[in-house]
Structure formats: C-alpha cells, structure tokens
Amino acid sequence: MTAPHRDLRQMQQQAGELDAQLAATRHTARSADQLITATVTGQEKLVDLRIDDRALHSTHVQKLGLGIVEAVHNARSTARASSLPHLNALFGKPTPPPPTAGPAVPPQAAVAEPSRRPADPDDENFAELDFLTDDEPDTGGGRW
C-alpha cells in the first residue's frame, strides 16, 4: 500500500472515531429567560427539548417559539465551538484564536430581546415550518 493510501485510510479512521465521539457528546443551552432547555449532540442534532411549565402558562405564549429557536441555536453554537478545534486538527487547519474577552455579562443579559413590528396581513404563515431542523421543506416550488 502506498503512503497516500495509508494516509487516507488513517484520516478516514480518525474521522470515523471523531464522528462517533461527536455523536456521543451532549451540549445543553437555555433560552435567555431560562425557561427552555435544548440538548444537542456534537453533530448539532437535537436530542432533547425541555419547556418549563411557566413558559406554557405565561401571558406571552407567542414567545415560546422564539425561545425554542433561541435555546436550540445556543446549544448548536456551543456544539460547533466545541467540535471546531477537533475538526481543524483532523484536517490540518490551524485553530482560530478565541474571541477577545469583553466585559463580563451574565449569559441571560447577553441576549437582546428581538424588536417587534406591527403585524402585516400579508406576512407569510410560518405555522407549517419546522424551526428545529436546518432542512428546507419540500413544497414543490415557491419561496419555501
């Protein structure tokens, strides 16, 4: 067996081991209001979603969807940041430097509340979209 083939097989083996490690790793994050908790694998797949009863009985139930998206996004960002150095090492890329530290801000204060605009009757209906996956729905054409 030639050296390039050996290197390729070794890299494939290392990639398989890393994939198994990422699949077994769990990353958990919360929404800014701490009422929704999402857990994803190191591959960023959602494996658990917990919604505090207070979020369901709140006067602002319409914020539930935003909180879910926020918690899943936060968990996936944590998983991505954790796996990036391992992926870079596997492919021989340098690890980017960590972000510069700014003023210490508690995690719940770091997330800004989204701005609201008045409802427009021509707005698209998002009721049938799955915000927990990165897959785009197959609707047979059109924007979505």
Side-chain angles (χ1 to χ4, degrees):
M1 188 175 348
T2 62
H5 285 102
R6 209 170 323 139
D7 291 341
L8 179 60
R9 285 183 189 233
Q10 182 181 11
M11 184 181 233
Q12 287 173 331
Q13 179 184 358
Q14 289 172 339
E17 291 169 0
L18 178 57
D19 191 50
Q21 179 185 358
L22 293 176
T25 305
R26 300 292 185 261
H27 300 274
T28 301
R30 293 179 175 238
S31 59
D33 60 10
Q34 304 294 306
L35 297 178
I36 300 164
T37 305
T39 302
V40 300
T41 67
Q43 300 164 322
E44 301 182 35
K45 293 179 182 177
L46 182 65
V47 292
D48 189 38
L49 183 67
R50 304 209 178 219
I51 301 172
D52 190 291
D53 285 340
R54 292 175 293 162
L56 299 173
H57 301 294
S58 168
T59 58
H60 302 288
V61 177
Q62 66 272 19
K63 291 185 179 181
L64 183 61
L66 292 173
I68 291 170
V69 171
E70 178 183 39
V72 172
H73 172 76
N74 292 343
R76 285 180 172 167
S77 294
T78 301
R80 190 174 306 117
S82 176
S83 65
L84 189 59
H86 301 289
L87 292 167
N88 283 338
L90 178 65
F91 293 107
K93 293 184 175 184
T95 302
T100 57
V105 179
Q108 60 270 26
V111 179
E113 183 68 26
S115 61
R116 301 282 180 185
R117 63 177 176 82
D120 182 352
D122 293 330
D123 278 351
E124 295 177 18
N125 182 355
F126 293 90
E128 295 180 9
L129 291 179
D130 181 2
F131 289 95
L132 300 179
T133 67
D134 293 330
D135 299 333
E136 295 199 10
D138 184 14
T139 59
R143 181 172 171 196
W144 298 101

